Amino acid sequence: MLKNKIGKFITFEGADGVGKSTQVQLLFNQLKSEGYPVYVTREPGGTVFAEHIRKILKEQNTLDPIIEILLIFAARRSHFIEVIKPMLSKGYIVISDRFYDSSLVYQGILKEVSIEKIMTLKYMVMKDFEPDLTFVLDMPAETAHLRTSLRHDKNKDIYDDMSIDNYNRVRNGFLKVAQIFSSRAVVINASGRQEMVLKKILKSLKESIS
Ligand code: TYD
């Protein structure tokens, strides 16, 4: 009898400017070239509905934190039921550029929405579902901050103009989340060259899910 094909859900987290999107793309290319069924997505976003919400979030810089977290979790519900679950049950490796750890850090730690409220929403949206593996990309705040302040593109968002202090709160927030979820989270020093960072990610990936 055929067993259910269950894929793997890999998330990338970290402060803005640490090179998440680049590593997501590099990992996608590598796994695809090795013949794995692999799908890349992102949060907020990943569905038409959730991408609309992403646009709203990016345009507003004075949103009430409760409205913000509700919008993020509405987007996440759409992403979860329309993309993540179906792709995993088809056996794909799904790689998401951010997931709910970002809510714990940006809305929880930075905007002081209680962790209890966030975990209640998390449970409403996906029950006990967790990523199989989370890469927390880490580098000194000064380096990441410099990278984002050099960005002048249309993707620049409200967080890209963050102070060094807030960057450090975000960085330490992700390190704390990685500690709490140590069974699935791996901290990757992302300061080095892109290829070296990818190498560390691949090594850790093969160790974790082989
Ligand atoms: P990001 O993923 O870094 O993409 P870009 O490269 O376009 O800046 O941007 C998404 C922003 O959304 C990021 O600054 C963090 C924020 N965010 C939250 O505040 N909470 C969340 O739950 C998620 C997923 C993202």
Side-chain angles (χ1 to χ4, degrees), residues 39-55 72 74-84 86-87 94-99:
Y39 185 85
V40 166
T41 187
R42 67 173 180 182
E43 286 210 347
T47 66
V48 173
F49 174 79
E51 290 290 334
H52 276 307
I53 293 184
R54 181 186 180 93
K55 200 159 169 278
I72 288 169
R76 184 161 292 136
R77 174 72 181 164
S78 155
H79 190 210
F80 182 66
I81 59 178
E82 291 169 42
V83 172
I84 299 171
M87 293 309 279
V94 178
I95 306 173
S96 186
D97 189 339
R98 297 195 183 280
F99 195 53

Side-chain angles (χ1 to χ4, degrees), residues 11-175:
T11 58
F12 277 75
E13 300 282 3
D16 301 73
V18 295
K20 271 179 301 86
S21 308
T22 306
Q23 291 303 325
V24 164
Q25 200 53 47
L26 292 174
L27 180 62
F28 170 78
N29 294 344
Q30 178 65 33
L31 294 177
K32 205 166 167 57
S33 77
E34 292 180 27
Y36 289 99
V38 48
Y39 185 85
V40 166
T41 187
R42 67 173 180 182
E43 286 210 347
T47 66
V48 173
F49 174 79
E51 290 290 334
H52 276 307
I53 293 184
R54 181 186 180 93
K55 200 159 169 278
I56 295 170
L57 289 165
K58 288 227 166 201
E59 283 165 3
Q60 306 272 340
N61 50 12
T62 51
L63 213 50
D64 169 74
I66 297 290
I67 297 177
E68 190 170 303
I69 194 75
L70 290 172
L71 287 175
I72 288 169
F73 271 98
R76 184 161 292 136
R77 174 72 181 164
S78 155
H79 190 210
F80 182 66
I81 59 178
E82 291 169 42
V83 172
I84 299 171
K85 286 285 272 185
M87 293 309 279
L88 289 177
S89 59
K90 283 185 199 161
Y92 276 79
I93 297 176
V94 178
I95 306 173
S96 186
D97 189 339
R98 297 195 183 280
F99 195 53
Y100 90 92
D101 294 339
S102 283
S103 303
L104 291 171
V105 173
Y106 287 93
Q107 282 66 48
I109 294 174
L110 206 57
K111 300 212 171 161
E112 297 176 354
V113 176
S114 78
I115 298 300
E116 195 191 339
K117 282 199 183 88
I118 297 175
M119 292 312 281
T120 302
L121 288 170
K122 187 257 176 187
Y123 191 77
M124 275 175 70
V125 164
M126 60 183 116
K127 300 234 159 51
D128 293 326
F129 179 86
E130 290 286 333
D132 293 292
L133 186 58
T134 297
F135 291 113
V136 173
L137 302 197
D138 181 65
M139 65 173 60
E142 289 73 13
T143 316
H145 190 251
L146 182 65
R147 289 198 196 184
T148 51
S149 52
L150 292 174
R151 265 195 215 165
H152 292 294
D153 54 47
K154 59 182 182 345
N155 290 325
K156 200 170 160 86
D157 59 49
I158 53 164
Y159 296 108
D160 288 341
D161 290 321
M162 204 181 266
S163 67
I164 286 275
D165 264 10
N166 278 344
Y167 254 94
N168 277 320
R169 286 173 70 197
V170 169
R171 180 190 188 196
N172 293 331
F174 278 114
L175 293 175

